[in-house]
Amino acid sequence: MTLPAIEADAAARPPRIGLLDTARGAALIAMATYHFSWDMEFMGYLAPGTAETGWLKIYARAIATTFLFIVGISLALSSTPEARWPSFWKRFGMIAAAAALISIATRIAMPNEWIYFGILHCIAVLTLIGVVFVRLPLAFTLIVTVALLAAWITDNFGTPGLLRSSFFDPRYLAWIGLAEMPERSNDYVPLFPWATPFFAGLSFASIALRTGIVHRLAAIGTGSWWTAKLGRHSLAFYLIHQPVLIALAYGLSLAVPPPKPDPVETYLKQCNAACVMQQGEALCHSFCQCTLQKLQTQSLLTPLQAGTIDIENDERVQTIAAECSAEAQ
């Protein structure tokens, strides 16, 4: 590319939006506070299921929504006027490698709840999908955004299970997001419904580029210098913060040991937290009470909580789950 062409390309690029960096940095801080609540639960300071229910569940979803909305905006901006492929593939490679590292680490540390498709996996796949849509007419992106939003409304407020099938339950299909009962994971962010905020961000940025809103936003500034700086190093922060936080929580547990939890209360809260991700609370209450009773009757509750039973492959646990699921319907 000649020097005039390079200068013309640089002039056509949208300006950097400092507020976007600030928003990303604020989302990172929010994410760290949520993860620390998970760490405190893991160490026994909070009741089991606390981080996955109530306002903390809403908090976590709001953070993930914000991240993916920003990813959609950033992809549209960085691909204007044309995708800069060397930097695109470098960024994608870093995200994909980080996602693979997290899967490997959690598979070793938490084999029953390892992260097979978390937020980094979702961002990596959506990045590949999104880079195609930024080259298509805006109408295509808007149609997909509206369709995803309609599907999300149907899934949450329409006919329960209409869009889902047990066919998608295995891990190799659960990442799509149409599973009825996906495999348990400590960070499960499938394409549906999480492509919705991503495409919303893609649509917003595409409209903003066409209407001049981007330049008005860039003129506002960053708002918070240190938060904006943090937002420019989001991947590094994401990889580093959790080992630091879990180390702090572990150190606290050595200095001030948490109280010993009640095994029945622990099981019920964990069961309900996992169940309400796919079913209503009333059904989950019946299901968890039923499985608790059967596990106690067969003397399986203690070994299950001790991790000596593989809940995914143990036929006794699978039979109990099937029987109680049928009774709860």
Side-chain angles (χ1 to χ4, degrees):
M1 184 179 291
T2 62
L3 181 59
I6 294 174
E7 292 175 348
D9 178 68
R13 294 178 189 175
R16 188 177 191 94
I17 301 176
L19 283 179
L20 197 62
D21 294 326
T22 301
R24 190 184 296 108
L28 287 169
I29 295 170
M31 175 192 65
T33 62
Y34 172 75
H35 283 168
F36 191 62
S37 71
W38 189 94
D39 297 336
M40 294 298 281
E41 177 187 327
F42 182 73
M43 290 298 172
Y45 290 99
L46 297 177
T50 298
E52 298 174 326
T53 55
W55 72 269
L56 278 173
K57 179 181 179 180
I58 298 173
Y59 186 47
R61 291 188 174 184
I63 295 168
T65 298
T66 301
F67 266 118
L68 290 166
F69 182 75
I70 292 174
V71 170
I73 294 175
S74 299
L75 180 62
L77 295 178
S78 64
S79 301
T80 302
E82 296 290 340
R84 295 182 282 280
W85 294 113
S87 58
F88 171 85
W89 289 117
K90 178 181 178 182
R91 181 68 177 171
F92 171 79
M94 292 170 62
I95 295 172
L101 178 64
I102 288 174
S103 289
I104 293 170
T106 55
R107 185 69 176 86
I108 296 171
M110 306 170 185
N112 291 328
E113 298 180 340
W114 66 286
I115 300 173
Y116 57 91
F117 203 83
I119 192 161
L120 287 184
H121 303 72
C122 187
I123 289 174
V125 174
L126 286 175
T127 296
L128 292 178
I129 296 172
V131 78
V132 175
F133 274 85
V134 294
R135 306 266 60 88
L136 296 175
L138 175 58
F140 285 91
T141 305
L142 292 175
I143 290 171
V144 171
T145 303
V146 172
L148 286 169
L149 183 59
W152 179 82
I153 292 172
T154 300
D155 192 52
N156 285 272
F157 305 105
T159 306
L162 179 65
L163 303 177
R164 299 181 180 274
S165 169
S166 58
F167 174 79
F168 295 97
D169 285 355
R171 286 193 180 97
Y172 63 87
L173 291 176
W175 61 273
I176 298 172
L178 301 179
E180 286 184 346
M181 293 289 287
E183 303 280 2
R184 178 75 175 159
S185 174
N186 279 322
D187 185 25
Y188 177 56
V189 188
L191 292 186
F192 179 78
W194 294 106
T196 309
F198 171 82
F199 270 89
L202 207 63
S203 297
F204 172 80
S206 298
I207 294 171
L209 285 165
R210 288 163 171 77
T211 58
I213 295 176
V214 166
H215 293 277
R216 290 196 288 272
L217 290 174
I220 296 175
T222 61
S224 173
W225 176 84
W226 70 272
T227 308
K229 187 174 183 179
L230 178 63
R232 297 188 190 105
H233 303 282
S234 56
L235 185 58
F237 181 89
Y238 185 90
L239 293 174
I240 294 171
H241 84 282
Q242 185 62 323
V244 172
L245 292 178
I246 196 72
L248 290 174
Y250 177 71
L252 180 62
S253 72
L254 296 178
V256 186
K260 189 174 181 179
D262 176 63
V264 171
E265 181 184 3
T266 297
Y267 173 79
L268 288 175
K269 288 188 175 182
Q270 288 178 331
C271 177
N272 276 286
C275 179
V276 295
M277 294 176 65
Q278 294 86 24
Q279 304 292 340
E281 291 189 9
L283 185 146
C284 289
H285 177 76
S286 300
F287 172 79
C288 292
Q289 289 288 349
C290 174
T291 54
L292 172 65
Q293 182 179 1
K294 291 180 181 292
L295 288 169
Q296 288 176 319
T297 300
Q298 299 184 35
S299 300
L300 294 174
L301 181 61
T302 299
L304 179 69
Q305 293 183 318
T308 57
I309 292 179
D310 184 354
I311 60 175
E312 296 181 4
N313 299 311
D314 191 285
E315 291 185 1
R316 297 167 299 176
V317 175
Q318 296 300 321
T319 299
I320 289 173
E323 291 174 352
C324 289
S325 180
E327 291 178 18
Q329 296 293 334

